[in-house]
Amino acid sequence: MDKLIIEGGKFLKGEIMVSGSKNAALPIIAATLLTDEPCVIRNVPRLMDTSTMIRLLKSLGKDVEWGKDNKILISSNGKPSDFADYKLVSTMRGSFCVLGPLLGKLGHAKVSLPGGCVIGVRPVDLHLKGLRALGAKIEVEAGYVLAKANRLKGTHMYLGGGFGSSVLATANVMMAAVLAEGETIIESAACEPEVEDLADFLTAMGARIKGKGSPRLIITGVKKLKGVNYQIIPDRIEAGTFILLAAALRNNNIVIKGANLSHLMALVDKMKEAGVKITENNEGDIFVKTSKNLKPVTVTTYPYPGFPTDLQAQMMALMTTIDGISVVTDRVYPDRFMHVAELNRMGANIKKEGSNAVVHGVKHLSGAPVVASDLRASAALVMAGLTAKGKTEIRRLYHLDRGYENLDKKLTQLGAKIYREKE
Ligand code: EPU
């Protein structure tokens, strides 16, 4: 397995391009199961997670080919299957969202439960509750969800849970409801831009959905959906990671291209409070204006449009060198703090107190051998490594490769000293 070596403290300068959104691409690829017609999806990031999703789709009766420029072409091979194997679903939670489309299209599905992971327990009760509300008979047996329905029936449901709305449960239920009989109303639907992108994709296929991007989705079932050519939105979490990196480096020379800043207003607001100004020009290029002395901040994550949990670790990496006391609370994944110990290994002063992490700013971080626990924690460690004095070695790199397209290459182009070595 590879490890990533970073020589910190280098001056970075130039343009960095944001890839297509991983978390939009995964359910959209799954949504192609709703039609027998060919689909073309553009701006798909080439990542371990999208490759896993493509392998899963191939096992479900689709031919999938990569074209030029991050495009994938998906067509049916005439042998649909309803069986999503543990080997594929357990490696990545996004793959569980084949359940809704399989059920909606075929009327039956056997899908492995996704694995738990280090960021928390991650149950699927809301997914199953929503599908049951549409009339599916669901049993869980030997690690698999067995779901059946003749034709799903629209209904009025509440889909919120103890931690707010659920992104993938909303995606699963919406994909099942588009082919259901009659009208489905989902209250407390997730409002994340990735869910809205999925709704736009389904609408392009011929689905009838009102309230996209709001907590109340109204879906009128149709009999059939068609193939489409569709472009995925930019990855707001990758863009946010680059903004936070520029701030952590106290660097005004990095231009972030191809992002959609309107998806990042909670971050822009928090950065303003810290003393970092984020602006956008007419071409959509993002500029970060930061001073040497930033102000400590208190950040609490919430479902969209709140501060994203997927930027919590990177925000903490920035806080480590802001003089004063900053506080982080994660209301989406209260246990998502595995990066604290690794950042402390690099000289940060972070204390976990109950459900908060209290960050006492230090003058600088120093390079150290660290282990990536999950995808966003890996990005936080890369940020920390680039700002630190000395050499950082990040192990368990596969997490990073699950979600950031060519990150080391993109950073090298800015002048970073970052390379891979075999362990
Ligand atoms: N939850 C339940 N029951 C459910 C589903 C979720 O209690 O049936 C809870 C979760 O445990 C959590 C909260 O609801 O406390 C929100 O979880 P959500 O379901 O929204 O998460 P997800 O849909 O499984 C997606 C992203 C995550 C991102 C979260 C929150 C994908 C493939 N994954 O997961 O992305 O953190 O939404 O925004 O879209 C990442 O990219 O690194 C990542 C983890």
Side-chain angles (χ1 to χ4, degrees), residues 22-23 93 123-126 166-168 310 332-333 376:
K22 163 182 89 79
N23 289 348
R93 193 170 170 87
V124 292
D125 55 316
L126 297 173
S166 161
V167 171
L168 290 176
D310 290 344
V332 180
Y333 293 116
R376 307 303 169 188

Side-chain angles (χ1 to χ4, degrees), residues 22-24 26-27 49 92-95 97 117 119-129 161-170 190 192 194 235-237 302-304 308-310 331-334 336 374-377 402-404:
K22 163 182 89 79
N23 289 348
L26 296 173
D49 275 9
M92 176 188 86
R93 193 170 170 87
S95 48
C97 65
C117 75
I119 68 173
V121 185
R122 305 187 82 183
V124 292
D125 55 316
L126 297 173
H127 300 239
L128 304 190
K129 176 183 163 186
F163 298 95
S165 53
S166 161
V167 171
L168 290 176
T170 305
E192 271 70 5
E194 295 76 18
D235 197 310
R236 67 189 164 105
I237 303 301
Y302 288 106
Y304 190 84
T309 174
D310 290 344
R331 292 247 186 268
V332 180
Y333 293 116
R336 193 177 206 176
D374 68 88
L375 169 55
R376 307 303 169 188
R402 283 188 43 211
Y404 285 88

Side-chain angles (χ1 to χ4, degrees), residues 47-301:
L47 302 167
M48 217 137 84
D49 275 9
T50 47
S51 306
T52 306
M53 194 63 169
I54 288 172
R55 269 166 53 217
L56 179 60
L57 237 70
K58 286 181 176 170
S59 77
L60 296 171
K62 293 285 187 186
D63 287 332
V64 189
E65 261 175 59
W66 279 101
K68 266 204 241 152
D69 302 328
N70 290 63
K71 186 168 27 180
I72 54 173
L73 303 100
I74 303 180
S75 55
S76 295
N77 65 16
K79 287 177 243 144
S81 159
D82 75 341
F83 177 63
D85 197 341
Y86 171 79
K87 280 194 205 110
L88 291 167
V89 183
S90 62
T91 60
M92 176 188 86
R93 193 170 170 87
S95 48
F96 191 65
C97 65
V98 297
L99 178 60
L102 286 177
L103 189 60
K105 180 76 167 45
L106 305 176
H108 47 89
K110 180 174 179 182
V111 177
S112 168
L113 285 167
C117 75
V118 288
I119 68 173
V121 185
R122 305 187 82 183
V124 292
D125 55 316
L126 297 173
H127 300 239
L128 304 190
K129 176 183 163 186
L131 296 173
R132 281 190 177 117
L134 292 173
K137 296 262 171 296
I138 296 183
E139 282 168 52
V140 179
E141 231 179 77
Y144 280 85
V145 173
L146 309 172
K148 268 198 191 126
N150 284 331
R151 189 175 173 206
L152 297 168
K153 276 210 173 60
T155 186
H156 193 170
M157 69 174 87
Y158 176 76
L159 206 57
F163 298 95
S165 53
S166 161
V167 171
L168 290 176
T170 305
N172 245 334
V173 175
M174 179 163 59
M175 288 190 278
V178 289
L179 289 179
E181 193 183 321
E183 186 177 85
T184 300
I185 303 179
I186 307 177
E187 307 283 4
S188 196
C191 305
E192 271 70 5
E194 295 76 18
V195 178
E196 193 175 351
D197 205 29
L198 172 65
D200 283 338
F201 178 77
L202 294 168
T203 305
M205 290 175 97
R208 292 175 58 198
I209 304 173
K210 281 195 218 151
K212 285 176 280 187
S214 83
R216 184 171 216 244
L217 289 174
I218 305 171
I219 303 159
T220 308
V222 296
K223 288 234 160 77
K224 205 171 166 231
L225 294 173
K226 58 177 191 284
V228 284
N229 186 323
Y230 189 82
Q231 163 128 347
I232 303 277
I233 54 168
D235 197 310
R236 67 189 164 105
I237 303 301
E238 189 193 17
T241 303
F242 295 155
I243 290 173
L244 286 161
L245 170 66
L249 290 166
R250 312 294 193 271
N251 182 318
N252 292 332
N253 298 285
I254 300 172
V255 181
I256 300 150
K257 295 188 80 78
N260 184 343
L261 196 58
S262 70
H263 291 162
L264 284 164
M265 293 321 286
L267 174 68
V268 171
D269 190 60
K270 212 26 97 178
M271 296 300 273
K272 193 170 161 197
E273 213 180 300
V276 183
K277 199 168 159 204
I278 318 281
T279 53
E280 189 179 22
N281 68 10
N282 291 341
E283 278 80 56
D285 299 343
I286 297 173
F287 302 87
V288 179
K289 193 155 185 277
T290 165
S291 64
K292 283 264 173 294
N293 297 318
L294 299 181
K295 293 193 269 302
V297 282
T298 294
V299 170
T300 304
T301 73

Side-chain angles (χ1 to χ4, degrees), residues 10-28:
K10 301 282 174 252
F11 175 68
L12 307 194
K13 186 179 166 68
E15 295 178 340
I16 191 159
M17 191 70 197
V18 173
S19 297
S21 161
K22 163 182 89 79
N23 289 348
L26 296 173
I28 286 178

Side-chain angles (χ1 to χ4, degrees), residues 1-6 369-370 391-398 408 418-423:
M1 204 181 296
D2 285 352
K3 61 181 176 185
L4 197 66
I5 317 286
I6 302 173
V370 287
K391 189 164 121 180
T392 296
E393 280 187 26
I394 306 178
R395 282 182 293 130
R396 294 219 201 122
L397 209 52
Y398 56 88
D408 21 338
I418 177 168
Y419 48 92
R420 285 173 190 244
E421 267 181 12
K422 288 263 171 271
E423 283 213 65

